[in-house]
Amino acid sequence: MVWVWWFGFGGLLFGLSQIGVSGNLDVTSLFEILSGLLVISLFCKRQLSLKHPLLELRVFTAPSFRKVALLAALTNIALMGPELVIPLYNQTIRETNAMTSGLLMLPGTILMAILSPLSGKLYDRFGIKRLVSVGFTATFFATIPMIFFDASTSLNTIAFLYAIRSAGLTLVFMPLTTSGLNALPHSYLVYGSTMIVTLQQLASSLGTAALVTAIKLGHGFQWAFTLVLIIGAFCLIISATLKNKTVTEI
């Protein structure tokens, strides 16, 4: 398993990071990315052939779990990415200090703390479909103005939009995992939970590297916010295909 992390995910992340540093897609970075993807593919093929695999990839045979796992990964990028990009924007374009930049994100953090314990109750009452519709719609429309951020954008506007995005994503973050695990039999729950957490961690690392790469290649923060908006659009599309209440599918 260690060699997969080092040569597979490590190579993929290092390749993306190199593009972010240099601002160019060179042969070395492309080789590292493709090599990482090849190692990950071989690992997955090997796991599927084992009777007692290290990671039970058969959890992905459940359609609902497959969609939720993808959404969980994308949601993590949508949540963690702006947490890096917005402070960079504030301190380089708006020329705010670190304290002010942190305080601008405080309203969003407070909303996350308030909504996190409520999201489970809302899921039990309304189901996942309504919840993700509201959450991803709020996130999508709050991201659109971010593409037009410039040196004159109001700090209050930045704080407000970030808070709306945080609230929207918090509504769907934990309920998505619950909905996906409901599609698995009891014996697969540990594997499913491990897989979602692993994908979220990988998505956070790779997504952050991809956003920094977008800033470098596009020579502006608008490119990073555009990428986040595209991710939000994908989330909206995929969430429309979810079942409101999932049952065991394996």
Side-chain angles (χ1 to χ4, degrees):
M1 183 65 176
V2 175
W3 61 271
V4 177
W5 286 102
W6 278 102
F7 298 103
F9 299 118
L12 184 59
L13 180 59
F14 187 71
L16 288 172
S17 300
Q18 286 295 103
I19 297 173
V21 171
S22 65
N24 297 306
L25 178 59
D26 53 29
V27 176
T28 303
S29 299
L30 185 60
F31 174 76
E32 291 164 350
I33 292 171
L34 293 177
S35 298
L37 291 173
L38 177 61
V39 171
I40 294 170
S41 299
L42 292 174
F43 172 76
C44 292
K45 183 178 180 180
R46 172 62 176 164
Q47 292 302 298
L48 289 171
S49 67
L50 295 176
K51 187 175 181 181
H52 300 290
L54 185 62
L55 288 179
E56 183 53 88
L57 299 179
R58 294 176 183 85
V59 293
F60 290 108
T61 58
S64 293
F65 179 83
R66 202 161 54 233
K67 294 175 185 177
V68 164
L70 177 58
L71 278 174
L74 292 176
T75 300
N76 219 46
I77 298 174
L79 182 64
M80 301 301 293
E83 288 187 3
L84 168 71
V85 176
I86 290 178
L88 287 175
Y89 159 79
N90 284 333
Q91 295 177 53
T92 57
I93 305 299
R94 294 292 285 104
E95 298 183 347
T96 61
N97 56 41
M99 175 67 76
T100 302
S101 184
L103 289 174
L104 289 175
M105 304 178 77
L106 184 59
T109 305
I110 293 173
L111 276 177
M112 290 176 68
I114 295 172
L115 291 175
S116 287
L118 294 176
S119 61
K121 294 180 180 179
L122 292 172
Y123 168 71
D124 291 336
R125 182 172 180 179
F126 299 108
I128 192 64
K129 198 146 190 173
R130 290 186 184 179
L131 212 55
V132 295
S133 295
V134 173
F136 285 135
T137 298
T139 301
F140 180 78
F141 283 102
T143 305
I144 293 175
M146 292 182 174
I147 299 175
F148 305 100
F149 279 1
D150 55 28
S152 63
T153 302
S154 166
L155 296 181
N156 290 332
T157 299
I158 298 170
F160 174 74
L161 291 173
Y162 178 76
I164 295 299
R165 290 189 82 263
S166 298
L169 291 172
T170 302
L171 282 176
V172 304
F173 199 72
M174 292 306 296
L176 270 176
T177 300
T178 303
S179 176
L181 293 179
N182 285 342
L184 302 177
H186 184 75
S187 59
Y188 275 33
L189 290 181
V190 174
Y191 300 118
S193 178
T194 301
M195 193 63 65
I196 288 178
V197 171
T198 300
L199 287 175
Q200 286 177 328
Q201 292 175 341
L202 289 172
S204 179
S205 299
L206 295 175
T208 300
L211 289 173
V212 173
T213 300
I215 294 172
K216 280 284 186 177
L217 293 179
H219 304 291
F221 289 95
Q222 286 82 2
W223 286 78
F225 290 129
T226 300
L227 179 57
V228 172
L229 183 65
I230 293 172
I231 292 172
F234 272 118
C235 289
L236 266 176
I237 294 169
I238 297 170
S239 64
T241 66
L242 292 178
K243 297 178 180 178
N244 201 40
K245 294 290 185 179
T246 50
V247 294
T248 302
E249 297 176 350
I250 297 180

